[in-house]
């Protein structure tokens, strides 16, 4: 009986030690996991604060949101696509041109500047997804020497756009865009699917040195100042029905 009791005591002691070891290991694992969970929570909290600032009615808060967003992306590179998408979403919001809200113009320039720094070679980010700026009003956007995987600018307004040396990889859609001011596509590289159908060119436009993987579409595109010093890609040229009319871009015969 004493032997049985002794063995039972040993078993209880071993069980207590084993249980204590399990509890200790559980605490150790919890300590290893907890920083990751806390860090994820902090990242989510920072992101939500950026979004909240971006939606603020206070112009100063909205402006600060893009400074915070750029800092966030530098520290969290995995968030790059989300940051670009969030910035494009902001730029797609309605904005009047000619400009009536100077405070909002400053904010939008900050947003455009973030895109430039993200996309310029070599940028702080590597953008692989579609750049969705459909309906956006962009004032003096700077995409010079930028890599744009897929770019959708349809139905937008581009004031003084600088695309010199830009590279469009998958597609470039500028259908029904109103280009005003000087628009520079010099030495830009365009993919197989490129369209400027029904676009309006109100200022001087140049495509000098631009390269096209396939034929570009300017169907029903119009030119407000046919006599300006434009440079159009071959075989497109301006056709004018009368001296006072807008020009239309048509392919040169032969």
């Amino acid at each position: 009986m004493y032997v049985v009791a002794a063995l039972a005591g040993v078993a209880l002691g071993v069980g207590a030690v084993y249980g204590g070891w399990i509890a200790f290991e559980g605490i150790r694992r919890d300590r290893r996991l907890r920083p990751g969970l806390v860090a994820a929570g902090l990242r989510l909290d920072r992101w939500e604060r950026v979004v909240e600032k971006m939606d603020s009615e206070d112009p100063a808060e909205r402006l600060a949101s893009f400074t915070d967003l750029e800092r966030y992306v530098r520290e969290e590179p995995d968030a790059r696509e989300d940051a670009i998408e969030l910035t494009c979403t902001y730029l797609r919001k309605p904005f009047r041109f000619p400009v009536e809200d100077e405070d909002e113009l400053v904010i939008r320039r900050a947003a455009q500047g973030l895109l430039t720094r993200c996309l310029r070679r070599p940028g702080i980010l590597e953008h692989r997804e579609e750049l969705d700026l459909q309906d956006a009003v962009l004032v003096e956007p700077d995409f010079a020497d930028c890599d744009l995987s897929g770019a959708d600018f349809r139905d937008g307004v581009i004031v003084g756009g600088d695309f010199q040396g830009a590279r469009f990889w998958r597609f470039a859609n500028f259908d029904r865009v109103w280009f005003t001011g000087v628009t520079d596509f010099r030495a830009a590289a365009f993919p197989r699917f490129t369209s400027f159908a029904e676009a309006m060119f109100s200022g001087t436009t140049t495509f000098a040195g631009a390269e096209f993987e396939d034929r570009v579409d300017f169907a029903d595109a119009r030119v407000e100042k046919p006599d300006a010093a434009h440079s159009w890609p071959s075989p497109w040229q301006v056709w004018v029905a009368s001296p006072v009319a807008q020009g239309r871009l048509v392919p040169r015969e032969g």
Side-chain angles (χ1 to χ4, degrees):
M1 183 174 66
Y2 292 110
V3 173
V4 172
L7 290 174
V10 170
L12 288 172
V14 171
V17 170
Y18 181 73
W21 179 79
I22 290 293
F24 178 71
E25 280 299 300
I27 292 171
R28 286 180 59 188
R29 283 197 299 272
D30 185 56
R31 285 176 177 171
R32 288 196 297 267
L33 292 173
R34 192 177 300 158
L37 295 174
V38 170
L42 290 174
R43 288 194 296 270
L44 179 60
D45 184 58
R46 287 180 62 194
W47 181 268
E48 289 177 344
R49 287 203 303 270
V50 167
V51 174
E52 184 178 348
K53 280 186 175 182
M54 204 171 286
D55 290 335
S56 172
E57 294 183 1
D58 183 356
E61 287 279 295
R62 298 200 302 276
L63 181 60
S65 71
F66 289 101
T67 301
D68 295 346
L69 181 59
E70 184 165 357
R71 184 182 303 114
Y72 181 93
V73 173
R74 286 183 181 276
E75 296 172 3
E76 304 290 342
D78 289 343
R80 60 187 182 272
E81 298 295 345
D82 291 330
I84 291 175
E85 182 179 348
L86 184 62
T87 303
C88 289
T89 299
Y90 187 91
L91 289 171
R92 290 197 303 269
K93 291 182 178 181
F95 180 65
R96 284 186 175 275
F97 183 82
V99 175
E100 297 179 356
D101 186 342
E102 293 293 338
D103 287 338
E104 180 61 20
L105 176 60
V106 171
I107 298 166
R108 298 177 78 85
R109 284 183 179 276
Q112 292 173 184
L114 174 58
L115 287 183
T116 298
R117 290 185 290 278
C118 289
L119 300 170
R120 178 161 288 159
R121 302 185 296 272
I124 61 171
L125 307 178
E126 184 180 2
H127 182 54
R128 295 296 183 187
E129 301 300 323
E130 177 181 327
L131 192 69
D132 185 359
L133 288 167
Q134 185 176 356
D135 298 311
V137 176
L138 307 176
V139 180
E140 297 182 349
D142 182 5
F143 291 107
D145 297 317
C146 287
D147 285 328
L148 298 94
S149 178
D152 186 358
F153 293 90
R154 285 176 297 166
D155 301 298
V157 178
I158 297 179
V159 184
D162 186 357
F163 294 88
Q164 183 177 354
R167 293 190 300 199
F168 299 85
W169 291 105
R170 292 192 295 124
F171 67 88
N173 194 333
F174 292 90
D175 289 353
R176 297 175 300 280
V177 169
W178 175 28
F179 294 94
T180 184
V182 176
T183 303
D184 189 351
F185 283 104
R186 286 178 297 166
F190 292 91
R192 181 177 180 184
F193 302 102
T194 300
S195 179
F196 291 84
E198 300 181 63
M200 165 65 87
F201 297 91
S202 295
T204 303
T205 305
T206 178
F207 286 87
E211 298 180 355
F212 295 84
E213 186 178 328
D214 202 346
R215 183 169 177 170
V216 59
D217 184 9
F218 282 98
D220 296 317
R222 294 167 293 159
V223 180
E224 189 171 321
K225 300 176 181 178
D227 295 330
H230 304 292
S231 177
W232 306 105
S234 180
W236 295 91
Q237 63 179 352
V238 179
W239 178 81
V240 183
S242 73
V244 295
Q246 293 178 348
R248 288 180 52 232
L249 283 170
V250 297
R252 186 180 293 107
E253 295 182 0

